[in-house]
Amino acid sequence: HSGNDLEHCFFINHDKTGCSCSVYRSLEKKLIVLSFRGTCAPKDILTDASIVQEAWVTGEDVKEPGIPKVHAGFRNSLDSVSRRLKELLLAAVAPGEELADYDMLVTGHSLGGALSTLFVADIAEFGVDAGRSLPQLAPSEAWWKGIATTFMAKGQEALNASPPPPPRPKTLRVYNFGSPRVGNDAFCDKFSNFLKDGRIDEAYRIVNGDDIIARNPRTMNALAFGSIGYEHCGPTVLISDNNDNGDGDDDSSCGPAIWVEGETDDKMCPVRDGAALKSPLAEGSLLGDLYSATQESLAEGKDDEQKEGGAGDILAFASKIGSAAGKVKDRLSTVSAKDLTSVVGIDGDFTQREVKIIQSLMSGDAITQHLEDKYYAGMGRASGFVAVPGEDIVEMKDASA
């Protein structure tokens, strides 16, 4: 749907941070596409490795509770190009047209996915404010100053005019691939609100299999940095690249070709951490089941109970305890590691997710499934095709698998 005239407009790169973005447009479809480059240089690895957070809005006190905070490395990288990028975006429309006439799609893989998320959050809240780089408490310069002096013959007249608010695209969408987490709960809540009120029209985080990058940075408590929380922005789309069994057929043993959080079913997204701690007596836990069964047994026949006193009460109570144990006999005979961790207050689902991450790291899948060619294969499978880099795309015999 990009039109037959999709063309490359410009490429922007910052020498020190390595932040790079390519911009494309279709005048036919009135579409602008921004693609942020992923990790591909040593300086990018340093950007990815940092876990320190800073305020999303420069000038806000990062120590204040409820302040939206983001990954400092990602923010600094985007900050190095954002203002110039927005100035050029304003000039990317056809003569006589406005940005409000155009749909905008922002994408990126890995580090590029993180940058695309931050950039879209800025545009959603403030429009294409080319008067500054990323959000700040200090007043911006006139957003149209650079574009007026650079591209308008009567630039000074434009500078003296009353400034309109920063323009917004007709629609704003972001699809990122293998993106690490970018911010804390407050930032992600802000992003979710943009989706709810329509300032972001669509946002999907595509994750391939056991990709470890999409599961980091982790929420942690450390003496050096204090409490650092990270969460995902937007719903997750799970894909799998395991589509090749040699004859163009889909290998259904690797699971569904595509799963969309909040749409396919009501299961919790396995890419999210969830709560590590849970009450040992919560429903579904080993002790919780024992406790519930005991309470039910003690309540049975309570209305008919006669006070026998002494040993009679003790024997009756013991009988009811035995009845409770019988009700969870099958449960006790199949105790798993998940049950054992629930006894000490660790959520069983959290444990299973952590174990799977360790297993994928040991097998190498955690890293290989982050690579771009694996995402290419996974998106092909989700669309009903066998897609292998350098080879012709082959339609699956059973595209519904």
Side-chain angles (χ1 to χ4, degrees), residues 320-342:
K320 292 178 179 180
I321 293 296
S323 175
K327 290 185 177 182
V328 293
K329 181 178 179 180
D330 292 340
R331 184 81 160 81
L332 291 172
S333 65
T334 57
V335 172
S336 65
K338 178 179 178 179
D339 294 322
L340 295 178
T341 57
S342 73

Side-chain angles (χ1 to χ4, degrees), residues 121-254:
D122 181 16
I123 301 302
E125 184 167 10
F126 301 102
V128 183
D129 187 354
R132 46 88 176 149
S133 187
L134 292 179
Q136 60 186 35
L137 288 182
S140 299
E141 295 182 17
W143 64 264
W144 37 268
K145 181 178 180 180
I147 194 73
T149 55
T150 303
F151 297 98
M152 298 177 114
K154 298 181 179 180
Q156 193 57 47
E157 292 181 14
L159 290 175
N160 295 331
S162 177
R168 296 175 178 274
K170 181 180 179 181
T171 62
L172 181 60
R173 294 172 290 156
V174 56
Y175 306 146
N176 59 54
F177 301 83
S179 171
R181 301 166 181 172
V182 300
N184 65 352
D185 287 342
F187 178 81
C188 293
D189 288 343
K190 177 187 285 286
F191 194 94
S192 295
N193 288 333
F194 295 152
L195 277 167
K196 291 177 182 178
D197 64 24
R199 282 183 279 181
I200 298 177
D201 295 273
E202 284 185 333
Y204 290 105
R205 292 185 329 98
I206 296 93
V207 178
N208 181 48
D210 293 328
D211 181 356
I212 190 64
I213 303 301
R215 292 164 169 81
N216 280 281
R218 311 298 301 280
T219 293
M220 63 176 294
N221 290 288
L223 292 176
F225 307 110
S227 178
I228 299 176
Y230 279 97
E231 187 50 274
H232 292 296
C233 291
T236 302
V237 176
L238 294 179
I239 60 175
S240 171
D241 64 285
N242 296 326
N243 60 5
D244 185 11
N245 63 6
D247 59 3
D249 288 329
D250 176 57
D251 180 6
S252 60
S253 65
C254 63

